[in-house]
Amino acid sequence: NAGVTQTPKFRVLKTGQSMTLLCAQDMNHEYMYWYRQDPGMGLRLIHYSVGEGTTAKGEVPDGYNVSRLKKQNFLLGLESAAPSQTSVYFCASSFGHAHDTQYFGPGTRLTVL
Amino acid sequence: GQQVMQIPQYQHVQEGEDFTTYCNSSTTLSNIQWYKQRPGGHPVFLIQLVKSGEVKKQKRLTFQFGEAKKNSSLHITATQTTDVGTYFCAGGVNTPLVFGKGTRLSVIA
């Protein structure tokens, strides 16, 4: 089992460019999450999904969109990147409840110039 | 909204000293979880506490859940260099887990 994988691992964007981060899990988990981690700010929830075809806003959703077309995949999109979106992005998944153990991917380091 | 506060933000200890991080919630929690993130790595689940007053141990790590289920602590006895990293608590009620900002532990050999 690969667990939770994220692509790409690193990316540099110019302001205004768009990109999509892909998260995949092979544990048949219902819940998936996108977080951003900035120095001193901990993990902040961007969006999450409670199952295929569903999405919901987290603490810091502005500037991001997500889609969960397949149970195993959760995509995070930036339509028009801004320097404030420079961060490390982590995807996570959990089995069947919002309070179940979360399994994190290795992260994507994004720099917006 | 629900908040989870964690202190201290940073802790530097000599190898062999003890270390404690504290977690406090603004609301009563259904459970609390602890995660560890090594430098350059991703958060990894350590343990979950569910019952009021619960105490669990993992080798040199002791986890406690407060009687009111609004606070928790992680204590490491005789720290080692392998304990270096950021320790996060996370709790929830009716929404996905809310993570504290973490305590970054440095161990000086």
Side-chain angles (χ1 to χ4, degrees):
Chain A
N1 284 357
V4 180
T5 58
Q6 293 182 234
T7 51
K9 288 185 169 51
F10 304 93
R11 186 71 186 268
V12 179
L13 290 178
K14 293 181 180 179
T15 297
Q17 287 185 319
S18 64
M19 77 162 295
T20 300
L21 281 66
L22 171 63
C23 176
Q25 54 94 3
D26 61 0
M27 297 175 283
N28 201 34
H29 285 173
E30 289 292 336
Y31 285 68
M32 297 188 74
Y33 315 83
W34 275 108
Y35 295 91
R36 61 176 291 173
Q37 185 174 39
D38 303 293
M41 298 298 292
L43 293 160
R44 292 185 293 170
L45 184 64
I46 304 171
H47 286 281
Y48 65 100
S49 168
V50 302
E52 181 179 317
T54 74
T55 62
K57 293 180 179 180
E59 179 188 355
V60 288
D62 294 342
Y64 305 94
N65 57 75
V66 288
S67 64
R68 183 101 181 266
L69 298 179
K70 294 183 178 181
K71 185 177 183 179
Q72 63 268 34
N73 295 336
F74 196 28
L75 278 63
L76 178 71
L78 286 73
E79 290 187 350
S80 180
S84 60
Q85 294 178 304
T86 292
S87 187
V88 179
Y89 291 85
F90 286 103
C91 175
S93 69
S94 64
F95 183 58
H97 189 277
H99 300 162
D100 282 344
T101 300
Q102 294 191 14
Y103 296 83
F104 284 80
T108 295
R109 186 174 295 275
L110 175 66
T111 302
V112 183
L113 302 175
Chain B
Q2 181 187 347
Q3 291 187 343
V4 175
M5 315 296 282
Q6 200 171 345
I7 56 169
Q9 189 173 2
Y10 303 98
Q11 185 81 54
H12 305 278
V13 300
Q14 291 280 346
E15 190 173 20
E17 291 183 338
D18 291 356
F19 159 77
T20 304
T21 174
Y22 300 91
C23 186
N24 292 286
S25 169
S26 56
T27 58
T28 301
L29 301 170
S30 61
N31 76 88
I32 195 150
Q33 301 179 21
W34 286 91
Y35 292 76
K36 177 183 178 181
Q37 182 178 23
R38 295 182 185 274
H42 58 276
V44 175
F45 173 78
L46 291 177
I47 207 161
Q48 180 182 68
L49 304 171
V50 178
K51 298 177 183 177
S52 170
E54 189 170 14
V55 178
K56 287 188 176 180
K57 292 189 176 183
Q58 288 180 349
K59 297 182 179 178
R60 295 178 294 103
L61 279 62
T62 301
F63 304 84
Q64 292 188 321
F65 201 9
E67 293 290 342
K69 301 183 75 173
K70 296 179 75 171
N71 61 285
S72 180
S73 65
L74 158 59
H75 179 83
I76 301 178
T77 303
T79 56
Q80 299 175 359
T81 55
T82 54
D83 296 324
V84 165
T86 301
Y87 293 84
F88 293 97
C89 63
V93 184
N94 297 318
T95 59
L97 290 176
V98 176
F99 283 80
K101 292 185 178 181
T103 296
R104 182 183 294 181
L105 173 64
S106 299
V107 179
I108 305 164

